[in-house]
């Protein structure tokens, strides 16, 4: 017990003496020192050579240094920093203030730092880097800018006005103020939810989607037509952000029965017998050319009809040959005789 007390007091004495001797110089902190090398450690000048003195060299602690050695000065000019010597010289232990120019800040958030001229003739610490200060604005998240058209500036001390890009009414406060601490005075508003009403049904067609009572913006409805019907219009419609559909629903158009039996007609540029055409039908939108007889001459002229949604009229001039004419005089059918000269047709 006595022994421990004695050791403790001895340790206290030694420490006190040491601190008196060294001032407030820290002990060498190996590992934490950023410098690659520290000069030789020492306790008194006698530990160093004739030119060197035992001086406190920052985190290297007491070290043998040449006091007259200088650190680089002046430093190369920089766009972001201003350097100022705080000591009369730039030799060992001189202090240098590095201050960020206006609009720049150190990564620590401060605008200045102090460096000390070390025994290795370098200024202490890392090269300070001043970076441009972020503008003093309030944040506008992408989601907000994607939803609203924003008038005004998001800078501190100013206000903005929201309007929904969709044209929908705003729910919440329409004007917001950017406060000094770069926060908005109010939460961002929201846009009233928009829906599209079910589009009208397509006869002879069906939708490739779950039928709903209302559809969200961006929802697509795809259409198909029943067999033998032709889609006329968009295959897909989309619910727009203003609650309208991108287009009217399409129509499913019926094929047309060719209203001729014993005459050839021109379909798709080919002269054919109706009974040679599949189902004797043409699709919606197809042109069918009929042959009519010249009222006085033994020649034919053509007239065009278009199939529209199941309706294909025979032209007024067309006369359906009788069964006998067709069987007995096939070469005298109007569709088979000579074409009239252009001059013959009035
Ligand atoms: C910002 O400032 C406003 C008003 O000065 C205050 O009400 C709000 O709590 C502050 N917000 C933060 C995150 O400091
Ligand atoms: C919705 O927007 C579309 C395209 O932007 C436009 O053509 C349509 O007229 C608008 N409808 C209404 C009801 O405003
Ligand atoms: C039908 O005829 C019109 C005019 O004669 C032409 O513009 C159109 O392309 C034709 N349609 C088809 C499907 O051939």
């Amino acid at each position: 017990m006595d022994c421990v007390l004695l050791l403790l007091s001895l340790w206290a004495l030694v420490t006190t003496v040491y601190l008196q001797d060294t001032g407030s110089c820290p002990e060498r902190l190996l590992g934490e020192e950023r410098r690659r090398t520290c000069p030789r450690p020492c306790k008194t000048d006698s530990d160093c050579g004739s030119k060197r003195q035992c001086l406190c060299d920052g985190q290297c602690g007491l070290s043998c240094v040449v006091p007259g050695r200088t650190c680089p000065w002046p430093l190369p000019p920089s766009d972001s920093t201003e350097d100022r010597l705080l000591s009369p010289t730039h030799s060992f232990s001189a202090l240098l203030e590095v201050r960020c120019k206006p609009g720049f800040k150190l990564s620590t958030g401060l605008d200045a730092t102090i460096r000390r001229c070390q025994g290795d003739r370098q200024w202490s610490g890392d090269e300070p880097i001043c970076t441009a200060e972020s503008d003093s604005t309030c944040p506008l998240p992408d989601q907000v800018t994607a939803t609203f058209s924003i008038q005004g500036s998001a800078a501190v001390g100013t206000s903005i006005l929201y309007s929904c890009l969709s044209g929908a009414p705003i729910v919440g406060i329409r004007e917001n103020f950017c406060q000094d601490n770069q926060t908005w005075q109010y939460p961002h508003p929201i846009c009233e939810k928009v829906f599209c009403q079910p589009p009208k049904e397509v006869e002879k067609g069906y939708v490739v989607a779950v039928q709903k009572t209302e559809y969200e913006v961006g929802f697509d409805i795809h259409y198909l037509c029943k067999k033998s019907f032709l889609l006329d219009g968009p295959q897909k419609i989309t619910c727009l952000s203003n609650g309208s559909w991108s287009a009217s629903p399409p129509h499913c158009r019926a094929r047309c029965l060719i209203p001729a039996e014993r005459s050839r007609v021109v379909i798709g540029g080919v002269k054919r017998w109706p009974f040679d055409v599949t189902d004797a039908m043409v699709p919606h939108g197809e042109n069918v050319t009929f042959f009519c007889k010249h009222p006085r001459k033994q020649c034919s002229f053509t007239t065009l009809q278009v199939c529209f949604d199941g309706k294909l009229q025979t032209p007024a001039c067309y006369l359906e040959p009788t069964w006998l004419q067709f069987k007995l005089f096939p070469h005298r059918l109007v569709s088979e005789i000579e074409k009239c000269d252009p001059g013959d047709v009035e």
Side-chain angles (χ1 to χ4, degrees), residues 5 13 29 45 84 121 173 189 214 250 275 305 325:
L5 270 177
L13 186 71
L29 297 165
D45 288 350
R84 186 163 68 99
R121 306 166 76 174
I173 299 164
E214 54 188 13
F275 47 78
Q305 295 284 46
Q325 286 170 321

Side-chain angles (χ1 to χ4, degrees), residues 196 219-220 234 236-240 242-248:
C196 289
F219 193 94
D220 288 335
K236 177 188 93 170
I237 63 171
T238 306
C239 177
L240 300 180
N242 62 4
S244 304
W245 290 101
S246 58
S248 305

Side-chain angles (χ1 to χ4, degrees), residues 67-212:
R69 286 218 170 146
T70 56
C71 285
W73 183 259
L75 293 168
S78 146
D79 288 336
S80 56
T81 59
E82 272 158 17
D83 304 309
R84 186 163 68 99
L85 273 183
L86 300 177
S87 309
T89 67
H90 50 104
S91 57
F92 177 73
S93 85
L95 299 179
L96 167 72
E97 182 196 67
V98 181
R99 182 167 287 281
C100 295
K101 288 188 178 170
F104 291 83
K105 276 236 175 351
L106 290 165
S107 59
T108 54
L110 300 175
D111 47 22
T113 186
I114 305 282
R115 303 179 82 184
R116 195 183 56 82
C117 181
Q118 298 173 156
D120 61 355
R121 306 166 76 174
Q122 296 303 313
W123 295 105
S124 64
D126 288 330
E127 185 77 21
I129 296 171
C130 293
T131 47
E133 261 182 290
S134 62
D135 309 336
S136 287
T137 58
C138 286
L140 278 174
D142 289 346
Q143 198 231 320
V144 170
T145 53
T147 313
F148 297 97
S149 137
I150 291 180
Q151 275 178 278
S153 135
V156 163
T158 61
S159 52
I160 57 165
L161 213 56
Y162 305 81
S163 38
C164 294
L165 285 171
S166 62
I170 278 184
V171 182
I173 299 164
R174 195 162 168 246
E175 190 169 6
N176 214 340
F177 179 75
C178 180
Q179 305 176 120
D180 288 346
N181 57 10
Q182 288 176 259
T183 61
W184 293 106
Q185 189 176 6
Y186 305 110
H188 298 292
I190 53 172
C191 294
E192 203 167 85
K193 196 110 174 88
V194 171
F195 292 99
C196 289
Q197 295 308 304
K200 69 173 171 26
E201 282 184 26
V202 174
E203 274 178 62
K204 307 296 179 192
Y206 38 91
V207 300
V208 192
V210 183
Q211 306 254 12
K212 300 188 184 194

Side-chain angles (χ1 to χ4, degrees), residues 267-269 283-288 304-306:
I267 300 164
H284 166 78
E286 185 66 84
N287 292 336
V288 177
L304 187 91
Q305 295 284 46
V306 182

